[in-house]
């Protein structure tokens, strides 16, 4: 009887001990698995964030193309006051748009011209780097936009010399000697609500067309005082 109770007691102790070992091992395994899963998730999230932060090849190409794109209507676009040369060698002519004005009428009280729209008065310096004299290239100096190509007004341009509001000579019929320059004005009858460029074409086969921005005619300085 005493032996049976002893065996029963030992069995209970043994079962209890085995149960305790089994329970302790389960908790450690669960903790280890949880830590491993957390580390793997963190590593995955970090890798995903790093990959997302890097720009794609398409985005890089788009940014590069935008930075190197040439603005304007299809040629060099010097600004007001900037000197530039169109053509080379015996076909070269130098230009500098000095200033821009507008007026509905130009000339004197006795002799004047009235625009159908408004006159765009372009004060320009013409330089001659050639070895022979040149004339102003009337057919290659235009007021231009996508809808219009306007040549200088041959009748209005000479009357600018009689206008007391501006001290400038007409340049439309001027001759410039070799190695020298001359400053004067040419006039275009333009749409007062239009936006234009001064388009300067080469006079020969060399060089490329240049475009000087005029912008909206309504924003060009107006000759306000009355003519006398």
């Amino acid at each position: 009887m005493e032996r049976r109770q002893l065996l029963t007691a030992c069995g209970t102790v043994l079962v209890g001990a085995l149960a305790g070992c089994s329970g302790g091992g389960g908790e450690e395994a669960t903790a280890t698995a949880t830590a491993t899963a957390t580390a793997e998730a963190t590593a995955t999230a970090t890798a995903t964030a790093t990959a997302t932060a890097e720009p794609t090849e398409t985005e890089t190409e788009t940014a590069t193309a935008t930075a190197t794109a040439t603005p304007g209507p299809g040629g060099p676009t010097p600004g007001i006051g900037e000197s530039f040369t169109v053509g080379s060698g015996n076909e070269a002519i130098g230009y500098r748009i000095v200033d821009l004005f507008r007026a509905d009428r130009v000339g004197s009280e006795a002799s004047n011209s009235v625009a159908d729209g408004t006159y765009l008065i372009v004060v320009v310096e013409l330089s001659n780097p050639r070895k022979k004299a040149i004339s102003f290239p009337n057919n290659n100096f235009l007021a231009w936009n996508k809808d219009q190509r306007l040549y200088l007004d041959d009748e209005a341009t000479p009357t600018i010399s009689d206008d007391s509001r501006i001290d400038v000579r007409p340049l439309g019929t001027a001759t410039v000697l070799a190695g020298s320059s001359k400053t004067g004005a040419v006039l275009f009858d333009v749409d007062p609500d239009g936006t234009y460029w001064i388009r300067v074409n080469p006079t020969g086969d060399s060089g490329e067309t240049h475009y000087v921005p005029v912008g909206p005619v309504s924003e060009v300085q107006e000759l306000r005082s009355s003519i006398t």
Side-chain angles (χ1 to χ4, degrees):
M1 182 67 177
E2 291 179 357
R3 183 179 180 183
R4 181 180 296 174
Q5 290 177 344
L6 180 61
L7 290 172
T8 302
C10 290
T12 302
V13 172
L14 181 60
V15 170
L18 290 173
C21 292
S22 175
E27 290 176 358
E28 290 177 0
T30 301
T32 303
T34 302
T36 302
T38 301
E40 290 177 352
T42 302
T44 302
T46 303
T48 302
T50 303
T52 303
E54 295 179 357
T56 64
E57 183 178 350
T58 302
E59 291 172 341
T60 303
E61 291 177 354
T62 301
T64 302
T66 302
T68 57
T70 302
T77 55
I80 303 296
E82 294 183 22
S83 298
F84 59 96
T85 300
V86 179
S88 60
N90 291 328
E91 296 175 341
I93 300 179
Y95 300 87
R96 182 171 70 92
I97 307 301
V98 179
D99 215 339
L100 301 169
F101 299 94
R102 63 184 171 93
D104 294 338
R105 185 171 62 155
V106 295
S108 65
E109 189 65 38
S111 176
N112 58 76
S113 296
V114 179
D116 293 329
T118 193
Y119 288 123
L120 175 63
I121 304 165
V122 183
V123 181
V124 56
E125 179 184 16
L126 188 71
S127 301
N128 180 12
R130 305 183 191 181
K131 297 180 180 180
K132 296 181 180 180
I134 61 172
S135 298
F136 188 85
N138 293 1
N139 294 330
N140 295 286
F141 193 91
L142 304 88
W144 178 91
N145 60 29
K146 64 179 182 179
D147 299 316
Q148 293 179 298
R149 180 180 297 186
L150 304 176
Y151 295 92
L152 65 87
D153 192 316
D154 291 330
E155 294 183 0
T157 294
T159 64
I160 196 69
S161 60
D162 299 323
D163 199 306
S164 60
R165 298 170 296 178
I166 183 172
D167 184 16
V168 67
R169 306 293 297 177
L171 195 64
T173 58
T175 297
V176 182
L177 300 178
S180 63
S181 63
K182 188 173 289 188
T183 300
V186 293
L187 277 66
F188 300 91
D189 194 339
V190 300
D191 180 353
D193 297 320
T195 298
Y196 293 87
W197 299 76
I198 298 300
R199 172 173 171 166
V200 187
N201 297 326
T203 57
D205 296 329
S206 66
E208 58 184 325
T209 299
H210 286 56
Y211 298 84
V212 180
V214 173
V217 175
S218 60
E219 297 180 9
V220 174
Q221 182 179 351
E222 183 179 8
L223 297 181
R224 289 185 174 276
S225 58
S226 302
I227 62 177
T228 58

